[in-house]
């Protein structure tokens, strides 16, 4: 991979250890995937923040980086952490809270913004065609497919390395020729809600692995539906993007078709229980303002059952804009949580053994990552289950 003179100096350690190790990570990746050079990025989004998912092992590495006073070179944001300070923190041991705080402080020392959300695009929307280095697969899908930005699916360390250098190797979907669709997916079923879009994503992700699908036949979708579709695709597959509008050139592609039974069977396979859930969870990926409003509208004038919990997870940024809806949700007995989600916190330590959600991504991961039973359902079903019968 070609390096400029300045990049070579960084590689040789002239900027110090943190930048040197970051440059070595980027060069290694670039060489591995056939990049020819580094290109500047507009922003980085870093995963590997929640102490629950991260554990202790990477903390030493973060400490070593932060100790050198290295700073990120581009606006950089953090994925959700393991709890929110207001509602959940008090339920966990002091040691967990201290470890989470020290992870956060190490990132802050490097000037990474602790926004703690998997939907950083609601805070700052990347420009179409801008190059990014984002981790968090659902955000990568949304950035490439809905916003028209260009980012590979980074891991936490490579996103942080790109943030510290301000550049990324030009392989993968940073190249126009790698952004073409591989498979035409004819959707011959009318998807009725966001949950079903997520389920379509899970089904197609399993079939196509890292191939790029172009969907034909989607109708009445919102950006929130596309967010669920991308989150599902990235959970069961390794793709970085999809397209949702067919062009003439796509007619020659290998074609698969999706029928109602594929959606029904996938919903069934993602549900591991029909018990009354301990937790109803909305907000994976973190809710948009519209989604918070939809929950508030569904809850208006109703009460959450005493023995149930209703969590709506979003960013502080969106919560700040959603004051009137937050009031409705909290008046009904629900909780609007920021900085975290049901997957990256210790829900089993809160006595939660079963969960209902409208997120196919959560249903895909929670049984293994959180060891809970899950039932996947539409938003209306979720709210009805959380509430006292009228
Ligand atoms: Fe975000 Fe948690 Fe889902 S980090 S994408 S809400 S698993």
């Amino acid at each position: 991979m070609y390096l400029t003179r300045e990049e070579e100096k960084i590689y040789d350690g002239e900027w110090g250890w943190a930048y040197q190790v970051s440059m070595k990570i980027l060069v290694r990746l670039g060489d591995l995937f056939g990049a020819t050079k580094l290109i500047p990025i507009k922003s980085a989004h870093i995963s590997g923040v929640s102490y629950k998912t991260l554990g202790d092992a990477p903390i030493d590495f973060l400490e070593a980086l932060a100790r050198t006073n290295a700073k990120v070179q581009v606006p950089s944001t953090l994925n959700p952490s393991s709890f929110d300070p207001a509602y959940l923190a008090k339920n966990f041991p002091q040691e967990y809270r201290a470890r989470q705080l020290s992870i956060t402080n190490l990132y802050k020392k490097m000037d990474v913004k602790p926004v703690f959300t998997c939907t950083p695009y609601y805070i700052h929307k990347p420009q179409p065609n801008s190059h990014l280095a984002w981790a968090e697969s659902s955000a990568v899908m949304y950035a490439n497919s809905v916003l028209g930005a260009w980012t590979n699916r980074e891991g936490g360390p490579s996103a942080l390395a790109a943030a510290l250098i301000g550049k990324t190797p030009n392989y993968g979907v940073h190249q126009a020729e790698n952004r073409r669709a591989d498979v035409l997916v004819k959707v011959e079923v009318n998807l009725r809600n966001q949950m079903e879009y997520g389920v379509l994503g899970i089904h197609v992700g399993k079939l196509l692995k890292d191939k790029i699908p172009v969907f034909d036949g989607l109708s009445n979708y919102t950006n929130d539906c596309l967010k669920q579709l991308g989150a599902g695709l990235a959970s069961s597959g390794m793709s970085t993007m999809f397209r949702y509008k067919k062009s003439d050139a796509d007619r020659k592609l290998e074609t698969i078709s999706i029928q109602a039974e594929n959606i029904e069977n996938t919903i069934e396979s993602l549900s591991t229980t029909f018990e009354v859930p301990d937790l109803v969870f909305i907000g994976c990926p973190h809710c948009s303002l519209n989604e918070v409003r939809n929950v508030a509208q569904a809850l208006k004038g109703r009460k959450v059952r005493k023995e149930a919990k209703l969590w709506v997870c979003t960013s502080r940024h969106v919560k700040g804009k959603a004051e009137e809806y937050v009031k409705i949700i909290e008046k009904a007995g629900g909780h609007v949580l920021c900085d975290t989600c049901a997957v990256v916190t210790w829900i089993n330590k809160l006595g939660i053994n079963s969960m209902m959600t409208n997120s196919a991504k959560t249903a895909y991961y929670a049984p293994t990552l959180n060891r809970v039973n899950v039932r996947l359902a539409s938003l209306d079903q979720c709210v009805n289950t959380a509430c006292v019968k009228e």
Side-chain angles (χ1 to χ4, degrees), residues 205-384:
K206 268 186 201 161
L207 295 176
L208 300 195
K209 311 280 191 289
D210 62 349
K211 290 184 179 158
I212 298 178
V214 51
F215 291 95
D216 183 30
L218 300 180
S219 59
N220 298 325
Y221 53 81
T222 60
N223 280 358
D224 292 324
C225 295
L226 298 177
K227 178 174 74 172
Q228 291 298 336
L229 174 58
L233 269 172
S235 300
S236 59
M238 281 307 295
S239 183
T240 41
M241 62 179 288
F242 64 93
R243 295 212 337 259
Y244 53 97
K245 286 177 190 156
K246 190 180 74 163
S247 70
D248 277 352
D250 299 326
R251 264 190 272 137
K252 293 185 194 131
L253 293 174
E254 175 196 342
T255 302
I256 60 170
S257 96
I258 305 297
Q259 310 292 329
E261 65 181 32
N262 299 125
I263 301 299
E264 285 155 19
N265 292 344
T266 307
I267 292 174
E268 206 173 300
S269 72
L270 288 168
S271 294
T272 60
T273 182
F274 288 95
E275 283 168 27
V276 179
D278 301 320
L279 170 69
V280 174
F281 166 49
I282 311 295
C284 171
H286 273 178
C287 283
S288 66
L289 184 58
N290 272 340
E291 289 174 300
V292 181
R293 188 189 57 206
N294 292 343
V295 179
Q297 279 171 351
L299 268 177
K300 208 163 188 177
R302 306 180 71 182
K303 279 274 172 235
V304 173
R305 287 180 295 110
K306 257 206 218 98
E307 58 289 1
K309 289 183 172 66
L310 171 66
W311 291 4
V312 180
C313 290
T314 187
S315 60
R316 290 177 195 212
H317 175 82
V318 168
K319 186 176 179 183
K321 288 165 123 188
E323 256 177 52
E324 64 174 301
Y325 310 129
V326 172
K327 271 189 203 147
I328 295 170
I329 294 168
E330 291 183 344
K331 192 170 166 212
H335 298 277
V336 179
L337 272 66
C338 298
D339 300 356
T340 191
C341 77
V343 176
V344 301
T345 195
W346 298 272
I347 52 172
N348 43 2
K349 293 202 185 304
L350 303 171
I352 293 165
N353 296 308
S354 61
M355 182 197 323
M356 183 183 249
T357 181
N358 68 340
S359 162
K361 173 172 178 170
T362 290
Y364 186 81
Y365 283 121
T368 41
L369 292 183
N370 303 84
R371 294 196 213 98
V372 291
N373 280 315
V374 176
R375 178 153 172 215
L376 185 60
S378 69
L379 174 63
D380 285 345
Q381 286 172 291
C382 285
V383 170
N384 287 341

Side-chain angles (χ1 to χ4, degrees), residues 1-234:
M1 201 171 86
Y2 168 79
L3 294 184
T4 64
R5 208 164 247 218
E6 196 58 28
E7 289 163 358
E8 266 179 1
K9 283 186 186 169
I10 299 172
Y11 191 92
D12 291 336
E14 288 191 28
W15 284 27
W17 177 81
Y19 296 109
Q20 182 183 33
V21 79
S22 300
M23 182 58 90
K24 287 196 166 176
I25 290 172
L26 299 182
V27 169
R28 185 79 202 269
L29 271 176
D31 284 342
L32 204 61
F33 291 105
T36 54
K37 60 178 182 176
L38 293 173
I39 48 172
I41 51 166
K42 292 286 184 202
S43 67
H45 181 70
I46 298 158
S47 61
V49 183
S50 157
Y51 178 53
K52 186 221 163 211
T53 51
L54 198 63
D56 288 304
I59 297 180
D60 287 349
F61 178 63
L62 287 175
E63 255 164 12
L65 287 175
R67 209 179 303 128
T68 66
N69 283 327
K71 308 287 178 206
V72 295
Q73 307 295 306
V74 290
S76 303
T77 45
L78 282 184
N79 228 27
S81 83
S82 55
F83 52 76
D84 70 322
Y87 174 62
L88 290 179
K90 57 184 181 298
N91 295 294
F92 301 125
Q94 169 58 23
E95 189 202 333
Y96 288 15
R97 286 184 274 162
R99 298 301 271 174
Q100 183 63 69
L101 196 64
S102 80
I103 293 168
T104 302
N105 285 339
L106 292 169
Y107 281 119
K108 273 163 82 174
K109 195 157 182 244
M110 291 183 263
D111 279 353
V112 184
K113 291 193 191 80
V115 296
F116 299 126
T117 183
C118 45
T119 55
Y121 40 84
Y122 296 143
I123 300 173
H124 180 75
K125 192 160 97 176
Q127 291 295 310
N129 305 322
S130 56
H131 292 274
L132 321 171
W134 283 16
E136 173 47 50
S137 62
S138 68
V140 168
M141 277 284 182
Y142 197 86
N144 280 319
S145 316
V146 182
L147 304 177
W150 300 36
T151 173
N152 283 324
R153 187 169 165 165
E154 304 292 346
S158 67
L160 179 57
L164 287 167
I165 299 295
K167 293 179 182 175
T168 194
N170 68 339
Y171 68 91
V173 293
H174 290 291
Q175 307 279 11
E177 64 270 24
N178 296 332
R179 299 176 66 88
R180 294 188 197 119
D182 301 302
V183 178
L184 176 64
V185 180
K186 285 190 177 243
V187 182
E188 297 178 314
V189 47
N190 190 19
L191 301 175
R192 294 166 298 179
N193 51 48
Q194 280 178 235
M195 179 271 281
E196 293 189 348
Y197 274 83
V199 168
L200 172 66
I202 295 281
H203 177 68
V204 173
K206 268 186 201 161
L207 295 176
L208 300 195
K209 311 280 191 289
D210 62 349
K211 290 184 179 158
I212 298 178
V214 51
F215 291 95
D216 183 30
L218 300 180
S219 59
N220 298 325
Y221 53 81
T222 60
N223 280 358
D224 292 324
C225 295
L226 298 177
K227 178 174 74 172
Q228 291 298 336
L229 174 58
L233 269 172

